[in-house]
């Protein structure tokens, strides 16, 4: 089987750093992706880790450890516009589907 | 560059009816996939089309069907609607073919309500 576990909600203040964890139970996948979705909007791609380690894109970083079945998204210098839902996702080897976690709702407070 | 567009944005149908949702892929993208997103959940894979053929399907019954056209636009058809079909239906396009790990580009979705 396969499942991705994320915290359902995270709250942080403007300017802070927040880490959203994703643990998974799946064998054989191509990499770990992260998507952001604002209320009423489309999911938008943030990052992709094909290999273990840290990927940095501006204020956002993503990390993958296959040996620990674990990854995270790190958001720095939080802004109000970062309030959204964040989804981790994997595509299992040989499959077409991107399997998403149930998402983490981030609320950034002033 | 035109993004993924979906129509209609909202739709209300009665149980037992049929519905067709439409999607125009992002320019240059040859693969389209459809996802169902229930409130408070992550998107669930319905199926994927590449070169006008379905080449991957999630755990959805046959009453969910689709088409991809030569211009890479796509339709999702749902027959015999059930109350549980109420959800946001997302279309996503990507480049690189059926096996690609390219990022998905999503449309804003069609909010379907079945009464």
């Amino acid at each position: 089987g396969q499942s991705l576990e994320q915290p359902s909600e995270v709250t942080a203040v403007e300017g802070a750093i927040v880490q959203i964890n994703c643990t998974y139970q799946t064998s054989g996948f191509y990499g770990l992706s992260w998507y952001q979705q604002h209320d009423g909007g489309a999911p938008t791609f943030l990052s992709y880790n094909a290999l273990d380690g840290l990927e940095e894109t501006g204020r956002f970083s993503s990390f993958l450890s296959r040996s620990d079945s674990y990854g995270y998204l790190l958001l720095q210098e939080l802004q109000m516009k970062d309030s959204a839902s964040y989804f981790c996702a994997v595509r299992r080897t040989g499959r077409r589907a991107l399997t998403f976690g149930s998402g983490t709702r981030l609320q950034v407070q002033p | 560059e035109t993004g993924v567009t979906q129509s209609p944005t909202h739709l209300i149908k009665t149980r037992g009816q049929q519905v067709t949702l439409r999607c125009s892929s992002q320019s240059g993208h040859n693969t389209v996939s459809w996802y169902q997103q229930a409130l408070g959940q992550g998107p669930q894979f319905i199926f994927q089309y590449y070169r006008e053929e379905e080449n991957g399907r999630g755990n959805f019954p046959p009453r969910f069907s689709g088409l991809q056209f030569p211009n890479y636009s796509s339709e999702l058809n749902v027959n015999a609607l059930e109350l549980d079909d109420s959800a946001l239906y997302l279309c996503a396009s990507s480049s690189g073919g059926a096996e690609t790990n390219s990022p998905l580009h999503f449309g804003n979705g069609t909010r379907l309500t079945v009464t």
Side-chain angles (χ1 to χ4, degrees), chain A residues 8-21:
Chain A
S8 58
E9 284 192 23
V10 174
T11 302
V13 296
E14 266 187 303
I17 299 173
V18 71
Q19 179 173 312
I20 299 174
N21 297 325

Side-chain angles (χ1 to χ4, degrees), chain A residues 8-87:
Chain A
S8 58
E9 284 192 23
V10 174
T11 302
V13 296
E14 266 187 303
I17 299 173
V18 71
Q19 179 173 312
I20 299 174
N21 297 325
C22 174
T23 56
Y24 56 86
Q25 297 177 14
T26 185
S27 58
F29 64 96
Y30 295 107
L32 184 68
S33 300
W34 288 92
Y35 285 78
Q36 177 194 61
Q37 186 178 29
H38 288 97
D39 285 348
T44 56
F45 172 78
L46 290 178
S47 68
Y48 175 68
N49 291 69
L51 304 174
D52 283 7
L54 192 68
E55 293 284 341
E56 297 181 77
T57 308
R59 295 188 295 115
F60 294 179
S61 303
S62 57
F63 173 83
L64 174 63
S65 169
R66 290 177 185 265
S67 60
D68 295 323
S69 298
Y70 164 73
Y72 66 73
L73 179 69
L74 189 74
L75 299 87
Q76 303 182 71
E77 302 172 18
L78 281 174
Q79 302 175 8
M80 296 297 291
K81 67 178 182 179
D82 297 330
S83 293
S85 292
Y86 293 84
F87 298 90

Side-chain angles (χ1 to χ4, degrees), chain B residues 10-14 81 83 85-87 111-115:
Chain B
H10 294 82
L11 202 53
I12 299 175
K13 288 286 190 177
T14 303
L81 283 168
L83 296 179
D85 295 334
S86 296
R111 172 71 63 188
L112 173 64
T113 302
V114 182
T115 62

Side-chain angles (χ1 to χ4, degrees), chain A residues 35 37 42 91 96-98, chain B residues 35 37 45 55 99 101 104 107:
Chain A
Y35 285 78
Q37 186 178 29
R91 187 164 76 88
R96 304 285 188 266
L98 196 60
Chain B
Y35 287 78
Q37 187 177 25
F45 177 73
N55 70 347
E99 295 293 339
N101 283 309
L104 297 182

Side-chain angles (χ1 to χ4, degrees), chain B residues 22-38:
Chain B
R22 294 179 173 82
C23 171
S24 293
S25 300
Q26 183 164 318
S27 177
H29 286 184
N30 54 16
T31 303
V32 65
S33 50
W34 286 88
Y35 287 78
Q36 180 195 66
Q37 187 177 25

Side-chain angles (χ1 to χ4, degrees), chain B residues 8-67:
Chain B
T9 56
H10 294 82
L11 202 53
I12 299 175
K13 288 286 190 177
T14 303
R15 189 172 51 184
Q17 285 187 317
Q18 178 267 341
V19 69
T20 298
L21 310 181
R22 294 179 173 82
C23 171
S24 293
S25 300
Q26 183 164 318
S27 177
H29 286 184
N30 54 16
T31 303
V32 65
S33 50
W34 286 88
Y35 287 78
Q36 180 195 66
Q37 187 177 25
L39 203 60
Q41 299 296 316
Q44 299 290 316
F45 177 73
I46 302 175
F47 43 54
Q48 177 178 294
Y49 277 81
Y50 174 66
R51 290 185 174 177
E52 302 174 51
E53 290 191 2
E54 183 183 300
N55 70 347
R57 189 177 186 92
N59 190 26
F60 281 82
R63 60 189 184 84
F64 285 76
S65 64
L67 287 172

